Amino acid sequence: MLRILIIIYLSCAVIQCQETCGYYNVTDMLGVLEESPHLVHIRPVTDWEEPTYVTIDVTFRAVLDMDEKLQTLTTLMDLEMMWKNQLLSWNPLDFCGIPKIPIPEGSVWIPDMYISEITEDNSLDVMYLQLYHNGTVQRMKTLHIVTTCSLELYKFPFDAQKCNITFGSSVNPVTDMILTPGSSAENITSLSKEVFVTGEWSLQNVDIFHVNVSRRGEEWSKVIYQISMKRAPVMYVVNLIIPACLLVVVDVASMFIPMEGGERLGFKVTVVLGFSVLLLILNDFLPNTDNPPILGVFCMVCLVIMIISIMDSIFISYMLYLSAVRPDVPYWLKLWVLKRLAYVLRINTNETNMDTNKLCIDNKGVIETIPALTESELPTTNNVSKDFKDSIEIKLLKKLLRELLMVRHHLVTTKKEEDAKSEWHLVAFVLDRFILILYLVIVCFIAIVVVVVWAR
Ligand SMILES: *[C@@H]1O[C@H](CO)[C@@H](O)[C@H](O)[C@H]1NC(C)=O
Ligand SMILES: *[C@@H]1O[C@H](CO)[C@@H](O)[C@H](O)[C@H]1NC(C)=O
Ligand SMILES: *[C@@H]1O[C@H](CO)[C@@H](O)[C@H](O)[C@H]1NC(C)=O
Ligand SMILES: *[C@@H]1O[C@H](CO)[C@@H](O)[C@H](O)[C@H]1NC(C)=O
Ligand SMILES: *[C@@H]1O[C@H](CO)[C@@H](O)[C@H](O)[C@H]1NC(C)=O
């Protein structure tokens, strides 16, 4: 540049030229402002068999949105295109050293570039192109586009995504137009990282593929930019994962609310309602794919086990009701729950059982012996001492004995009822502990699976 100017200056000084130039001298000479159709619409080559080389460069500026449901990506990027227009060139020396001029878009031919994945284009229009003296045209455009991208959400929200943005021509096959990337992938990556606005997504890498694609019996030149991004998971951890885990913990803790009274059931239903709100939020993010995110599976399993524990609570309150109405526990329930299940869970039901049995036997023995004793004793007292027979003390003692026997009888029957009741309670307790252990095992298992998947 500087050298050219110096030469011009020197040559002017030598031949004493005082000519002045404006851009209009160049545009008048080239005729670019006349919008002649053959300049605007026809590929600018002098030999039709010669392809036009279009160099493109992309700088990624931001990922504005990622729609997991629709599987679309909204990006902001700078696109720079360069190609040679063989019909437009001038010698700077003839025009006071003008090396380039800005010309309005639409006054010369521009390559028909399209993006295969595009679904929506919100880009601003380009006003001007840069035209160099050797015929090179430079076009800078900021693209604000929505493209489709097949997302891999299995590890959501700890996922990374790769999206392709494919540039190609729709009318010019490779014999007419050849696309080439201007800079290397490393340079694009480092340049993009400098300007990239990191929001939910941070830019990891940009890869460039330069391929010829066969379509309709012809080869088409394509340049594919593959952008790799990583999601910042903090918001999802704070808003989704931690609340979900806390609700599960609260639900586990609610298994220790006493079975009697309906409080536990009400509490559990409230927790499930809270959990389903989280599921609704999660549902907003997830697409309908065959491979659901592991987080969705985790939430589903937690919901199922919560529902099972609610069923358990309902069942237990029914058992407590049965204990009042139908005191004896069916034999199969005793066998399966009190013997086998209790054995598996190492809950000691035998001890309490034996105690109650022993008490029953003791009481029976006492009841049977006391009437026998009173009946056998009374005749003997009759014979031995008549003086004492009618004495007030004897009468009183007899009355007292009768009262005592009645009290004892009443006590024994209530005790029996209570034992039956406590057997129902025992069944309920064993079942409840079983569900609690099942709950803990399943939740721990799925939590470990989820963590392993995320860490992989
Ligand atoms: C540029 O145009 C002006 C006005 O038409 C003319 O005077 C001048 O000589 C031109 N310069 C060149 C280098 O042709
Ligand atoms: C035309 O000139 C520009 C600027 O001086 C340069 O970047 C470009 O490589 C040149 N193109 C050709 C085909 O020489
Ligand atoms: C992106 O392009 C590369 C190179 O052609 C290809 O291997 C890959 O499958 C493409 N990815 C998608 C999601 O289409
Ligand atoms: C990449 O950038 C380096 C340093 O800026 C430069 O030397 C190199 O030529 C560039 N490579 C390409 C292919 O543009
Ligand atoms: C595509 O085809 C053109 C013309 O046959 C060839 O010059 C170019 O090297 C090819 N590009 C690739 C990436 O194969």
Side-chain angles (χ1 to χ4, degrees), residues 302-342:
C302 286
L303 187 69
V304 167
I305 191 78
M306 279 176 177
I307 299 287
I308 288 176
S309 81
I310 283 185
M311 302 288 283
D312 166 67
S313 298
I314 293 173
F315 197 56
I316 279 168
S317 56
Y318 178 62
M319 277 195 212
L320 297 186
Y321 157 78
L322 272 189
S323 76
V325 176
R326 225 185 60 184
D328 4 300
V329 180
Y331 176 70
W332 60 270
L333 204 58
K334 259 196 219 174
L335 179 72
W336 280 100
V337 176
L338 287 187
K339 282 236 175 84
R340 308 211 165 141
L341 196 57

Side-chain angles (χ1 to χ4, degrees), residues 59 66 124 145 149 194 209 236 277 306 308 329 372 443:
T59 312
M66 174 84 89
L124 289 176
I145 52 170
C149 178
E194 265 173 38
F209 301 95
Y236 296 94
V277 171
M306 279 176 177
I308 288 176
V329 180
V443 166

